[in-house]
């Protein structure tokens, strides 16, 4: 068990070093990264498409990279916005990592890009532990997922700079308790902003874009308590943080979390999966 934990810590430390370099390199060229995390079906692709379309209509140079285990469906959808889009197929890996991301950006990301939106793999466990060199980490939850989501996934919500609720147009139909959800978020990540959106209804249009641009231009970003306290947090059933006394580059990791079979985070950290570039007309494929 100690060897597994030591190996995972080594992988995370390597990832954080790569993320630090990536963050500096992108900042030097004027690009900020927005990392979007959520469970599958939360509606983040629909919301992101609206934000990218809005950015394009405003003449703001943005780009998007979307990651999935399979299919190019999300890249095709996002490309309808008219901005540069790239699909990454992770070939079974349940998250993106900084070195992998850097490899896919090389030679693709337009030089004038102000914002790069990363649509991470649909998963609130694995991606939460991996810094991607982001300026802004946004966690999304739909009204259909239940008010206790932040308590069930404290690392994901606890390290968020912004929390977004999606599908507010059906909140009444599913009896979503906004007050309880906000209280649960506050327990895990005191002071973080919670915004309400609806891709279909138009509620919150432009909020993600505005927050991302502000962060890119140097506006203060919320600092999660988990980061300030410098401790590990485990996705315990009771949703309570547990101190373990170690962090990497300001991001907290789940030391006790391992993945079975081919999902183990060891030698698969780099050059994994296919990269696909999508635009309004075509989806081209290339081997990473």
């Amino acid at each position: 068990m100690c060897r597994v934990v030591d190996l995972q810590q080594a992988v995370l430390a390597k990832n954080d070093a790569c993320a630090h370099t990536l963050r500096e390199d992108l900042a030097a060229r004027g690009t900020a990264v927005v990392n979007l995390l959520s469970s599958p079906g939360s509606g983040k692709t629909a919301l992101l498409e609206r934000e990218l379309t809005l950015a394009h209509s405003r003449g703001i140079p943005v780009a998007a990279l979307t990651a999935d285990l399979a299919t190019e469906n999300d890249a095709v959808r996002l490309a309808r916005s008219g901005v540069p889009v790239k699909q990454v197929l992770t070939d079974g890996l349940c998250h993106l990592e900084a070195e992998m991301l850097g490899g896919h950006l090389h030679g693709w990301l337009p030089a004038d890009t102000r914002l790069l939106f990363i649509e991470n793999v649909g998963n609130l466990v694995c991606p939460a532990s991996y810094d991607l060199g982001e300026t802004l980490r946004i966690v999304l939850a739909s009204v259909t997922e239940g008010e206790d989501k932040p308590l069930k996934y404290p690392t994901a919500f606890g390290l968020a700079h912004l929390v977004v609720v999606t599908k507010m147009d059906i909140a009444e139909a599913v009896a979503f308790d906004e007050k309880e959800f906000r209280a649960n978020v506050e327990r895990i990540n005191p002071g973080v902003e919670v915004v309400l959106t609806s891709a279909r209804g138009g509620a919150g249009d432009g909020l993600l874009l505005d927050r991302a641009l502000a962060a890119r231009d140097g506006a203060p970003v919320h600092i999660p308590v988990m980061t300030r306290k410098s401790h590990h947090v485990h996705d315990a059933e009771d949703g309570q943080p547990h101190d373990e006394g170690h962090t990497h580059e300001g991001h907290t990791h789940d030391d006790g979390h391992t993945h079975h079979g081919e999902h183990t985070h060891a030698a698969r950290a780099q050059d994994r999966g296919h990269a696909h570039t999508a635009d309004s007309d075509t989806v081209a494929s290339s081997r990473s």
Side-chain angles (χ1 to χ4, degrees):
M1 183 62 181
C2 290
R3 290 183 179 179
V4 173
V5 172
D6 289 345
L7 176 59
Q8 189 176 29
Q9 287 181 342
V11 170
L12 293 172
K14 178 183 178 182
N15 180 82
D16 287 336
C18 291
H20 179 74
T21 299
L22 183 60
R23 184 181 288 108
E24 288 189 335
D25 290 347
L26 289 172
R29 56 184 282 173
T31 303
V33 174
V34 182
N35 187 7
L36 302 176
L37 283 74
S38 79
S39 56
S42 67
K44 67 178 178 294
T45 304
L47 184 61
L48 180 56
E49 183 183 353
R50 290 182 71 96
E51 297 298 300
L52 295 177
T53 301
L54 182 59
H56 184 64
S57 70
R58 292 181 181 177
I60 302 169
V62 303
L65 183 147
T66 181
D68 276 305
L69 274 67
T71 82
E72 300 171 1
N73 295 349
D74 287 354
V76 172
R77 289 176 61 186
L78 295 179
R80 296 185 304 206
S81 67
V83 310
V85 173
K86 188 171 189 176
Q87 177 78 58
V88 173
L89 299 183
T90 63
D91 195 24
L93 196 63
C94 58
H95 62 279
L96 285 173
E97 298 179 9
E99 187 172 14
M100 180 194 307
L101 175 61
H104 288 303
L105 297 183
H106 182 70
W108 168 73
L109 188 67
D112 64 342
T113 304
R114 293 178 64 190
L115 293 174
L116 171 63
F117 288 90
I118 305 295
E119 184 181 13
N120 220 314
V121 180
N123 185 341
L124 282 176
V125 181
C126 310
S129 294
Y130 287 84
D131 182 2
L132 297 182
E134 65 260 25
T135 300
L136 198 63
R137 175 178 287 207
I138 301 177
V139 176
L140 302 88
S142 73
V143 297
T144 60
E145 295 179 69
E147 295 81 3
D148 61 348
K149 204 74 169 183
L151 304 182
K152 289 183 175 181
Y153 300 94
T155 302
F157 284 88
L159 291 175
H161 301 122
L162 178 68
V163 173
V164 174
V165 180
T166 61
K167 305 184 183 182
M168 282 300 297
D169 53 302
I170 59 171
E172 185 176 354
V174 299
F176 175 69
D177 189 330
E178 179 189 339
K179 183 177 180 181
E180 182 180 348
F181 180 84
R182 287 181 178 275
N184 289 335
V185 171
E186 185 69 14
R187 284 180 60 188
I188 299 299
N189 193 346
V192 71
E193 182 183 12
V194 177
V195 299
L196 310 178
T197 66
S198 169
R200 287 188 175 182
D205 270 5
L207 280 175
L208 267 66
L209 180 61
D210 291 343
R211 298 297 190 278
L213 286 171
R216 183 261 182 194
D217 294 337
V221 173
H222 169 73
I223 302 176
V225 169
M226 285 186 182
T227 300
R228 294 198 297 265
K229 287 185 175 180
S230 298
H231 60 221
H232 283 296
V233 180
H234 299 274
D235 285 338
E237 291 182 356
D238 62 1
Q240 297 304 308
H242 303 287
D243 290 341
E244 294 295 337
H246 190 66
T247 55
H248 303 282
E249 288 291 323
H251 282 265
T252 307
H253 305 300
D254 295 331
D255 276 354
H257 180 67
T258 57
H259 303 271
H260 57 82
E262 64 178 2
H263 287 208
T264 301
H265 309 312
R268 310 187 65 214
Q270 59 186 4
D271 298 329
R272 201 62 175 146
H274 305 277
H276 304 262
T277 303
D279 57 31
S280 301
D281 302 310
T282 63
V283 178
S285 301
S286 62
R287 185 73 175 176
S288 60

